[in-house]
Structure formats: structure tokens, C-alpha cells
Amino acid sequence: MTLCADWIAEGAGNHGSTFAGNPIVAAAAGATLAGIQSRDVPANAAAVGEYLRAELGAAVDAHDLPVREVRGEGLMIGVEVKRGSMRVLRDLAIEEGVLALPAGRSVVRLLPPLIIDEQHADSVVESLVEVLS
């Protein structure tokens, strides 16, 4: 419970809710943060995100895909396509089983789980190549 006590002592503000801020919620939050720290989730997100962006860029060049830019930070990745993103998103979901979101009319937004590994990243790249080819 030190986590909640420290938070309140620092003057972070009022946290009022019927079902929040109780010992069970505090224990769950503490366990979640401990898991994130022990697995070094931020470092994994940075490393796999860099890998995924590099692999996407290489695939765009190798297959001459209709992509203007691959950009992002960590695992927040945007693939700006030359034609509308909605068709790409539909095909990714229906044909390849990859969930992604639009970010405007021309950007396919990838937000994979922070614990993704390079094997899963490769699968996403293969799916995008298939849909964009």
C-alpha cells in the first residue's frame, strides 16, 4: 500500500470513486507495475518498435509497395499509404487477422501490445506486404 500512500502524500490530487482506491485495487496496480518493471516492457517496446519500423521500411523498398512513409515512436507506428487506408485496414482485418486503426484518410496505425516479439512483428510485416501487393 506504500504506492497509494506515496501518491496521496505527494499531493497528486483527489481520487474519488466508489470502486477505486481500495486495498484490492492498490494491490492489483502494484502487481501490474511490478510485472511491467520486471519484464522491462518499455525497453521491449522501444527495441521491437525500432525493429518493426526497419522491417516495414525494408519491405516497402523490396516490394515497391504503395507507401509514402513509415513513422512512429516505440510501438506506435503509422504507415502512410498512397491510396485510402480503409481498404487496407479492411483487408488486414478480414484476410490477415491483423487489427489496426485508421489515423486520418491515409495512415494505417499499428498499436501492438507492448510485449510483442520480433516473430509477431515479422508476421505483421508479411501481412502488410500481402495486402499492399
Side-chain angles (χ1 to χ4, degrees):
M1 301 312 148
T2 307
L3 182 67
C4 284
D6 290 345
W7 182 64
I8 293 168
E10 291 175 9
N14 171 341
H15 182 67
S17 176
T18 304
F19 300 106
N22 61 58
I24 294 172
V25 170
T32 300
L33 291 173
I36 288 170
Q37 288 176 330
S38 71
R39 292 186 177 126
D40 203 6
V41 171
N44 182 68
V48 177
E50 185 176 327
Y51 173 82
L52 181 53
R53 286 190 308 279
E55 291 297 305
L56 285 167
V60 167
D61 294 340
H63 299 280
D64 194 30
L65 298 177
V67 171
R68 287 190 180 98
E69 182 182 20
V70 175
R71 59 182 177 259
E73 176 108 13
L75 285 169
M76 296 185 295
I77 298 172
V79 179
E80 186 175 357
V81 294
K82 292 180 180 175
R83 51 186 185 244
S85 65
M86 294 310 288
R87 184 195 65 78
V88 174
L89 289 166
R90 181 197 67 215
D91 292 348
L92 271 176
I94 293 171
E95 296 173 15
E96 300 294 323
V98 174
L99 296 178
L101 297 167
R105 293 182 187 185
S106 63
V107 177
V108 173
R109 179 174 39 181
L110 302 173
L111 295 169
L114 299 177
I115 58 170
I116 189 174
D117 59 25
E118 289 183 0
Q119 181 181 0
H120 290 116
D122 290 338
S123 176
V124 170
V125 172
E126 290 170 14
S127 294
L128 269 168
V129 168
E130 185 67 29
V131 167
L132 291 171
S133 292

